[in-house]
Amino acid sequence: MDSTLVNWEALDRLILDFAKSENLIDDSASTSTISFPSSSPSSFSSSYQSRFIIRQIRRFLESGDIDSTLHLLRSHAPFILDDRRLLFRLQKQKFMELLRRGTDEARDSAIECIRTALAPCALDAYPEAYEEFKHILLAFIYDKDDQNSPVTKAWSERRRFEIAGLMSSVLRAHLQAYDPVFSMTLRYLISIHKGFCIHQGISSPISDLTERLLLEERDPPAVPQESFYEAPPFDEVDIQALAHAVELTRQGAIDSLRFAKGDLFQAFQNELCRMKVDVSMLDELVREYCVYRGIVDSGLALPSVPGLKTLAEPLKVGQSEPGCCSSRNYSFEGDNTNNKHSDGENSVSNAHMNVSPEDSVDVNSIQGTDVELRYACESTSYHEDCSTSGSHQAGISKVLQRNRNYTIGERSKRKRWRGRQDEEDYKQDLNATASSTNLSRDKQGFEKHPSADINARDDKNEIVLGMKELVGRGMAAEVVEEVTALDPNFFMQNHVLLFQLKQVEFLKLVSSGDHTSALRVASSHLGPIASRDPSLLKPLKETLLALLRPNEDALGKGLPLHALSTSLQVAIGQKLGIEEPQLMKLMRATLHTHNEWFKLQMCKDRFESLLRVDCLKDVNTPLISACSMSKSNADSCTHGSSQVTISSSTRVSEEGSSPTQESSRDVCDENAILKVMEFLALPRADAIHLLAQYNGNAETVIQQIFA
């Protein structure tokens, strides 16, 4: 179902921004000691402070502590108490909480509350307020346990959560304290995913995640003040876009726009943040993804290889490692010709090349540079249980040895996961059960997996991250050697990945002006692979065009290395038994249904730029544009290699429509579509299909429906 490709680098940026915004990581490079907000407000963004205050207020209201709520509001949001409607609701809840205590002293306080606060406020809060005031006085004579009393709803503790949600909605909008973009994007994509599956009558492959992550309940909407009811009429396009984006009625969308004073995007963010998510589950998904991608440290010990020297003699580029083979032989699907990989200057991994994986590779800085490689390679045995077949253990040992100091250097750059340590009370109140469950689960995990197994898993993950980093630097020849050492049969089962890595090597040689070596790579590797998989012939031809542009950086312009590095990471990880994060599965599936949903709607998503959805889908490749995987390779890679094999027209076809949809759209005028949607309360796709049946005449459609 989820064939959509994802720009994982864009997702990395969104998630890193989320983790920083929520103070989940310790960014020691730019931040010193991080303290509690109340003691050092300057260490937090104003948005984080505002969200923290809102969570505190919500917590007080849900526990029935109205006095603490009023104190926080006076200190941080006094404008809320100027709204007589909200003040009346708070005083009414305070009256009920005092009665709930059941003591004579509390009853006297409740009477005082009525005299000094509730009754005066009821006179001018809103038209129905005085009637509500008189009705709630019945709580004096009807007990809270009387289920037949006329004030059962007033006694219900659910009222606490309703007013807490309402206050959160109002405060969030007034303080502009919206959740980080990634959190809103996830809510939006999951909401569309659920709606699409229901509309199409299909089951969701990720329902176990979506049902637990995005809760059904929403916070109550913020009610616009009476003065906003006289606002000028809003554009029907905006009303329908908002209503269908966040599943509102037409009147609900109008009220939301009124509250936002006509700002469509502010109204959209207000509505998205009303959706509730399981915060602890979201944090865990983000942490799992960050560890997998090397954004944060796993928290486990560094890979340990017995007998390995931590301070080694430097290896020069082109110098063979002691005890290691500098060239590897591999064949592709029964090829009788052994293809040697023995390029002199590329025979070892450049572990200290100071190049960011996000930058284009400067070939001149790679070739001809005398780079010292600070890793050692002693011929020692590796006794850790790697939980893989015996053929992999020796490969893992060698790769670990070659990358020991590289691993230490890379891990030192990673962030430290903190979690929500600044909200200890919040965690104790809301996550006590979850914490005990996690502790129990962790304890069982350690009992089930001894420390050797944990270290082995961490070792394998570091190997995969190291190879991902090398691909990001354009060091394809080194990656092929490392992977072949790890598993000699890997590329026989993942020939598209081998083709792509050899493309990188070819483009790198072309950029350096070494056309002879480039053609040797093409004839020895790219040609034989493409001859066995005809779908690779077109990208092979396009790759060879780089020879016609000798003055251009063919590698930098021809291939998104981050996409290839992720493809390799997923494929090797699966080979080593490292499952990809659940968040990656979630993003693939939801972005796919987002594409399919807007194909049905026959329009562009007006909110995708705001939520960076367009960036998550932007995976076009100029040169390697038509690599399409064969079915056998797709099955073996399970979306691993496919992430970089995208046609240059993929984005167009995903956002486009079928010929039938195009003809339907041609028949229908936009005003007619909006008219049918408004009068019949129909989704856009259904309105278009109805109009297509009646030659685009909205009046005829409406008459036929009501006939």
Side-chain angles (χ1 to χ4, degrees):
M1 175 181 175
D2 50 343
S3 60
T4 297
L5 309 182
V6 181
N7 184 333
W8 300 113
E9 191 177 48
L11 183 60
D12 288 350
R13 290 192 293 268
L14 273 179
I15 286 183
L16 185 58
D17 175 72
F18 168 82
K20 287 182 177 179
S21 298
E22 292 291 67
N23 198 33
L24 296 173
I25 58 175
D26 183 3
D27 191 1
S28 57
S30 58
T31 307
S32 56
T33 303
I34 298 179
S35 56
F36 197 71
S38 59
S39 61
S40 180
S42 60
S43 63
F44 290 84
S45 68
S46 59
S47 178
Y48 179 86
Q49 286 181 321
S50 298
R51 292 198 305 274
F52 183 80
I53 291 167
I54 292 170
R55 285 195 289 266
Q56 289 273 47
I57 290 173
R58 178 190 284 270
R59 186 160 68 254
F60 285 140
L61 287 170
E62 289 176 350
S63 63
D65 189 349
I66 308 302
D67 285 334
S68 296
T69 299
L70 293 170
H71 174 72
L72 270 180
L73 288 173
R74 291 189 190 99
S75 301
H76 300 284
F79 59 87
I80 292 294
L81 302 180
D82 294 335
D83 188 332
R84 305 289 285 181
R85 303 168 307 158
L86 298 176
L87 181 60
F88 175 71
R89 287 184 169 90
L90 286 170
Q91 295 293 358
K92 187 167 61 171
Q93 190 63 32
K94 178 180 179 179
F95 167 72
M96 294 304 302
E97 297 300 339
L98 289 170
L99 287 183
R100 198 187 306 276
R101 296 178 188 175
T103 64
D104 292 339
E105 182 181 355
R107 182 177 290 268
D108 292 341
S109 297
I111 294 173
E112 182 66 18
C113 175
I114 285 180
R115 290 173 177 169
T116 61
L118 190 57
C121 193
L123 296 176
D124 58 356
Y126 48 88
E128 302 83 5
Y130 193 68
E131 287 300 320
E132 292 180 14
F133 164 72
K134 290 189 294 184
H135 181 77
I136 205 172
L137 295 179
L138 295 173
F140 276 121
I141 59 175
Y142 288 99
D143 190 77
K144 61 182 178 180
D145 297 324
D146 186 351
Q147 298 301 315
N148 297 319
S149 76
V151 286
T152 302
K153 291 183 178 179
W155 277 115
S156 173
E157 291 190 1
R158 181 174 179 79
R159 281 297 178 92
R160 293 176 173 178
F161 294 89
E162 291 175 355
I163 192 171
L166 174 63
M167 288 295 170
S168 297
S169 296
V170 175
L171 285 166
R172 190 185 302 117
H174 280 288
L175 298 175
Q176 296 287 294
Y178 298 116
D179 293 327
V181 174
F182 174 69
S183 180
M184 292 192 288
T185 301
L186 206 57
R187 289 175 169 101
Y188 182 56
L189 290 175
I190 292 176
S191 177
I192 288 178
H193 177 82
K194 288 182 175 182
F196 176 80
C197 291
I198 293 172
H199 185 273
Q200 298 298 100
I202 58 177
S203 59
S204 167
I206 54 168
S207 58
D208 59 324
L209 288 174
T210 57
E211 297 300 328
R212 289 183 293 136
L213 186 57
L214 184 64
L215 309 180
E216 291 295 332
E217 188 178 1
R218 300 188 185 188
D219 285 336
V223 181
Q225 296 182 13
E226 291 182 7
S227 59
F228 293 167
Y229 282 95
E230 301 302 324
F234 304 111
D235 191 330
E236 188 64 31
V237 174
D238 290 350
I239 295 172
Q240 294 297 334
L242 181 61
H244 291 286
V246 288
E247 299 177 324
L248 295 176
T249 63
R250 184 174 183 275
Q251 186 58 49
I254 291 173
D255 289 341
S256 183
L257 284 168
R258 281 176 176 155
F259 182 78
K261 301 180 182 179
D263 188 327
L264 173 63
F265 294 105
Q266 182 177 336
F268 176 69
Q269 292 179 89
N270 290 340
E271 296 301 323
L272 273 184
C273 291
R274 283 179 52 214
M275 300 179 182
K276 294 184 179 180
V277 295
D278 186 324
V279 175
S280 60
M281 181 180 179
L282 176 58
D283 288 353
E284 184 56 36
L285 288 176
V286 169
R287 181 187 178 278
E288 180 191 33
Y289 179 87
C290 287
V291 170
Y292 182 85
R293 297 284 290 169
I295 298 172
V296 303
D297 191 72
S298 64
L300 300 176
L302 286 168
S304 175
V305 181
L308 188 63
K309 295 179 181 178
T310 56
L311 293 176
E313 291 299 323
L315 280 171
K316 304 293 183 179
V317 173
Q319 176 183 345
S320 298
E321 304 168 61
C324 295
C325 182
S326 62
S327 63
R328 306 287 179 190
N329 296 331
Y330 55 85
S331 59
F332 170 66
E333 293 186 356
D335 188 2
N336 294 326
T337 304
N338 288 332
N339 299 316
K340 287 192 175 183
H341 172 70
S342 56
D343 297 338
E345 60 270 19
N346 296 327
S347 62
V348 291
S349 299
N350 185 350
H352 282 267
M353 182 66 66
N354 188 22
V355 180
S356 171
E358 297 178 1
D359 298 330
S360 299
V361 176
D362 183 357
V363 178
N364 294 326
S365 67
I366 296 176
Q367 295 188 342
T369 303
D370 190 21
V371 183
E372 293 185 351
L373 304 180
R374 300 273 179 184
Y375 55 72
C377 184
E378 282 194 348
S379 300
T380 56
S381 59
Y382 179 53
H383 301 290
E384 301 275 355
D385 178 15
C386 292
S387 303
T388 59
S389 64
S391 63
H392 289 168
Q393 293 185 22
I396 291 176
S397 176
K398 292 178 182 178
V399 175
L400 273 174
Q401 290 172 3
R402 285 197 294 272
N403 291 279
R404 167 68 175 175
N405 288 336
Y406 161 79
T407 297
I408 295 174
E410 287 302 309
R411 290 188 68 164
S412 65
K413 299 175 186 176
R414 295 177 196 162
K415 318 294 183 186
R416 183 178 66 86
W417 184 265
R418 303 176 67 255
R420 298 183 183 268
Q421 295 180 2
D422 298 315
E423 303 179 39
E424 295 178 1
D425 293 337
Y426 176 71
K427 291 170 66 178
Q428 290 173 4
D429 290 344
L430 300 184
N431 295 334
T433 303
S435 298
S436 61
T437 302
N438 290 337
L439 287 173
S440 175
R441 183 179 60 194
D442 292 343
K443 183 178 179 181
Q444 293 173 2
F446 277 104
E447 291 173 353
K448 184 176 179 180
H449 302 287
S451 59
D453 289 344
I454 295 173
N455 287 335
R457 287 199 305 273
D458 196 33
D459 287 348
K460 289 185 288 184
N461 194 49
E462 291 302 327
I463 289 172
V464 175
L465 287 173
M467 292 183 183
K468 170 177 172 285
E469 180 71 14
L470 292 178
V471 175
R473 295 174 178 178
M475 302 171 69
E478 292 80 1
V479 171
V480 170
E481 181 179 1
E482 298 288 356
V483 173
T484 305
L486 192 66
D487 182 0
N489 298 320
F490 178 83
F491 287 122
M492 294 177 64
Q493 300 168 350
N494 298 273
H495 67 276
V496 173
L497 274 176
L498 178 60
F499 182 85
Q500 293 164 352
L501 288 168
K502 287 300 175 182
Q503 278 181 305
V504 173
E505 186 177 352
F506 173 87
L507 295 173
K508 179 174 160 182
L509 291 168
V510 170
S511 295
S512 68
D514 190 353
H515 292 177
T516 301
S517 298
L519 288 172
R520 185 163 55 246
V521 169
S523 60
S524 301
H525 304 289
L526 295 176
I529 297 175
S531 66
R532 289 165 174 80
D533 186 349
S535 66
L536 299 175
L537 286 174
K538 183 178 179 181
L540 174 58
K541 296 173 186 177
E542 294 177 345
T543 302
L544 293 174
L545 289 175
L547 293 169
L548 305 180
R549 297 183 285 268
N551 296 325
E552 293 186 9
D553 182 4
L555 179 58
K557 295 184 178 180
L559 186 72
L561 294 177
H562 61 84
L564 177 55
S565 66
T566 299
S567 299
L568 187 71
Q569 179 185 18
V570 172
I572 296 179
Q574 290 174 345
K575 198 72 175 177
L576 295 178
I578 302 173
E579 290 190 14
E580 65 177 354
Q582 296 182 85
L583 193 57
M584 293 180 80
K585 302 173 185 176
L586 183 66
M587 296 305 296
R588 280 200 194 95
T590 54
L591 285 171
H592 170 77
T593 48
H594 180 273
N595 280 335
E596 297 302 311
W597 179 249
F598 281 95
K599 284 182 186 177
L600 290 176
Q601 303 304 310
M602 301 185 197
C603 66
K604 185 177 176 64
D605 183 1
R606 297 185 65 183
F607 305 107
E608 68 174 13
S609 295
L610 176 69
L611 299 179
R612 310 294 191 271
V613 174
D614 53 348
C615 296
L616 293 172
K617 296 181 184 178
D618 187 10
V619 288
N620 286 327
T621 64
L623 262 178
I624 306 177
S625 58
C627 292
S628 58
M629 292 171 56
S630 62
K631 184 178 186 302
S632 60
N633 192 63
D635 293 339
S636 66
C637 266
T638 322
H639 300 291
S641 306
S642 64
Q643 294 169 16
V644 75
T645 56
I646 176 172
S647 169
S648 58
S649 61
T650 298
R651 184 66 189 270
V652 176
S653 64
E654 285 178 350
E655 292 183 351
S657 307
S658 65
T660 303
Q661 291 173 327
E662 290 290 349
S663 61
S664 298
R665 186 169 12 184
D666 290 341
V667 171
C668 305
D669 175 70
E670 185 65 24
N671 290 329
I673 296 172
L674 292 172
K675 190 171 186 177
V676 172
M677 291 174 68
E678 176 184 355
F679 277 86
L680 301 181
L682 290 176
R684 182 182 177 87
D686 294 344
I688 292 174
H689 288 309
L690 277 176
L691 286 166
Q693 296 175 26
Y694 294 96
N695 296 320
N697 192 312
E699 287 75 12
T700 303
V701 170
I702 296 171
Q703 290 173 6
Q704 290 296 323
I705 293 297
F706 288 105

